[in-house]
Amino acid sequence: MQFVKLDIQAPAAVLTIDRPDCLNALNSQVFREIAQGLEELEANDEVKVVIVTGAGEKAFAAGADISQMVHQSGKEGRELAQLTHRANFLLENMRQVTIAAVNGFALGGGCELALACDIRIAAENARFGLPEVGLGILPGGGGTQRLARIVGVGRAKEMIFTCDPIDAQEAYRIGLANHVVPREKLMEECFAMAERIASKASFAVSMAKSAVNLSMGVDMTSGCTREMDLLGLLFATEDKTEGMTAFLERRKPEFKEF
Ligand code: COA
């Protein structure tokens, strides 16, 4: 892979978008490589948490590559959106937890990539925004859908219609960023959270992720029915016996399933 680097430090792995010269702008190849990297990480039982970040000091990713899009036809634009969705749905639905380590500009497709992650930790220099309508298009990698679900329809519409970027503190205030940390502590904080998550029963975490994801798309009764089914499934696992026995024996559990 040319523009995406994987660094496995089990139980975490870091996927870095590596095009710092153009602020990690996302062209078709980058989206393909992100998907390829995520598929590789999803198959790895040692990896429990995937941290996504951008190379360099300035950007997580400053959006889809405008120098590519400017020449593209309607058909090509739709194909680009498909590639974007493929990467973002992988992030959202993969069995591992995904954390966006937002180390600067997260604009357009970069913001959408962060929105598709389970958790966003922002460095103090992070800037989130969806500038697409200022370029004559719209956020086409799930931005019109996921932003509204995370921060509410009113704030999502304001960000999308005005294109005004928001800083890390504002992102935290509206629930777009889970935490804001000093730039130099960003990866340390992400790894620390990854460790905490990885110390839990991984299969249970994975099922909980899928249940919470479902809440964004289905009615309460269907969501709770699915939750009930997943709970039944987890009651039948060795990890459930281990987790509860360890609690009663006042020792640390040793989880195995994933
Ligand atoms: N696509 C292609 N190239 C991009 C890019 C993008 N989305 N974002 C930045 N770049 C390139 C710039 O063209 C520039 O290339 P150059 O050095 O060859 O001229 C380089 O990255 C550095 O960007 P620059 O604009 O000089 O940095 P800056 O600090 O002045 O501004 C931004 C940073 C993020 C505010 C600005 O680059 C920007 O607005 N980028 C576009 C954001 C956007 O609209 N994204 C959504 C696309 S749908």
Side-chain angles (χ1 to χ4, degrees), residues 21-23 25 58 62-67 69 105 107-108 131-132 135 137:
D21 292 351
C22 55
L23 306 186
K58 278 179 75 172
D65 190 329
I66 299 170
S67 64
M69 291 191 295
F105 292 111
L107 302 177
E132 283 88 345
L135 298 166
I137 56 171

Side-chain angles (χ1 to χ4, degrees), residues 6 55 66-67 74 80 82 95 122 124 126 139 166 197 202 221 255:
L6 301 183
I66 299 170
S67 64
L80 179 66
Q82 276 183 321
R95 62 185 180 139
E124 283 164 343
I166 58 170
I197 293 169
S202 299
T221 308
F255 295 118

Side-chain angles (χ1 to χ4, degrees), residues 55-222:
E57 288 307 309
K58 278 179 75 172
F60 177 75
D65 190 329
I66 299 170
S67 64
Q68 173 185 287
M69 291 191 295
V70 67
H71 303 296
Q72 286 183 314
S73 65
K75 179 171 173 288
E76 288 166 330
R78 194 173 189 287
E79 283 164 2
L80 179 66
Q82 276 183 321
L83 289 175
T84 315
H85 282 302
R86 187 163 158 245
N88 290 342
F89 276 121
L90 270 164
L91 278 171
E92 190 166 76
N93 295 323
M94 67 193 296
R95 62 185 180 139
Q96 287 90 350
V97 172
T98 54
I99 300 178
V102 184
N103 58 318
F105 292 111
L107 302 177
C111 184
E112 290 174 318
L113 210 60
L115 290 171
C117 290
D118 298 314
I119 291 162
R120 285 154 292 283
I121 302 188
E124 283 164 343
N125 69 332
R127 294 284 178 281
F128 296 82
L130 290 169
E132 283 88 345
V133 299
L135 298 166
I137 56 171
L138 57 68
T144 61
Q145 306 302 302
R146 289 194 182 93
L147 184 61
R149 284 167 161 86
I150 293 170
V151 304
V153 172
R155 289 188 200 284
K157 283 181 174 170
E158 182 179 336
M159 282 179 70
I160 293 168
F161 299 165
T162 64
C163 302
D164 293 342
I166 58 170
D167 65 17
Q169 286 302 341
E170 177 66 359
Y172 175 68
R173 201 181 68 79
I174 66 173
L176 181 50
N178 295 58
H179 301 280
V180 181
V181 300
R183 173 68 187 90
E184 63 279 8
K185 296 242 177 211
L186 179 62
M187 294 315 284
E188 190 183 317
E189 295 287 343
C190 290
F191 274 107
M193 185 180 282
E195 286 286 344
R196 291 205 300 285
I197 293 169
S199 71
K200 308 295 185 280
S202 299
F203 185 59
V205 171
S206 200
M207 293 302 102
K209 167 171 169 166
S210 86
V212 177
N213 279 354
L214 208 63
S215 74
M216 295 196 289
V218 301
D219 62 279
M220 181 70 107
T221 308
S222 310

